[in-house]
Amino acid sequence: LKFRICGAQIGQKAGILLWEELTGALHDIRSCISRETVSRVDSLAKVGIDANTLMIPNIVHSTFLRFHHVPMSKCEDVQAKFSNLVLPHLFSDDMFGSDLVVETDQIRMVCEWTPYMHIPCNDDHVLLEVSL
């Protein structure tokens, strides 16, 4: 798998870097998981899992900032400053550069029990680990 930063966003809860996966493998993995989930609705129900509650994300992101509370500043002002002061430098050499590619040969399927949690690398959260 190969990833490249393709953008960044800041909102009322967090700031994130957006990544794109360059090989298409992540899309294939997510499609496979979706197909398998659909094919196993009954067996999942037997163990108390409602397949409708399972969600496979369609983005890859890294959180670089998390607000404990919604900022008192106007969201539009924060976003405008972020767009003017940070985004122009995102792909410059003083930040990530335009040719930064991060490669991995490890995949972990995790269960995020609570949105926005930091997922520990343990048996309660990591469902599957694969080396490519």
Side-chain angles (χ1 to χ4, degrees):
L1 298 170
K2 295 181 182 183
F3 297 91
R4 178 176 55 208
I5 292 176
C6 61
Q9 298 175 353
I10 194 161
Q12 293 181 344
K13 295 181 179 181
I16 61 173
L17 295 174
L18 299 168
W19 298 79
E20 62 180 328
E21 201 284 312
L22 303 172
T23 69
L26 183 60
H27 176 268
D28 293 344
I29 291 166
R30 287 174 168 170
S31 294
C32 178
I33 293 168
S34 293
R35 286 191 308 273
E36 284 299 310
T37 300
V38 168
S39 74
R40 298 170 190 260
V41 170
D42 292 337
S43 58
L44 289 169
K46 288 178 184 175
V47 295
I49 299 172
D50 179 355
N52 293 321
T53 65
L54 300 177
M55 199 272 297
I56 299 168
N58 60 0
I59 66 168
V60 178
H61 72 280
S62 300
T63 302
F64 65 85
L65 170 70
R66 171 103 33 234
F67 296 116
H68 285 284
H69 303 283
V70 175
M72 299 202 46
S73 305
K74 291 183 181 177
C75 188
E76 299 82 21
D77 293 343
V78 173
Q79 288 178 346
K81 286 184 180 181
F82 183 78
S83 293
N84 293 329
L85 300 174
V86 177
L87 288 183
H89 300 283
L90 189 63
F91 301 108
S92 66
D93 289 336
D94 57 329
M95 286 188 91
F96 299 105
S98 59
D99 58 351
L100 173 71
V101 173
V102 177
E103 295 186 43
T104 185
D105 61 357
Q106 299 286 312
I107 299 172
R108 288 189 182 116
M109 184 186 313
V110 299
C111 183
E112 186 179 42
W113 298 104
T114 305
Y116 305 117
M117 68 183 260
H118 296 277
I119 301 171
C121 187
N122 62 31
D123 291 341
D124 290 335
H125 297 89
V126 178
L127 306 175
L128 176 70
E129 187 169 346
V130 177
S131 295
L132 303 175

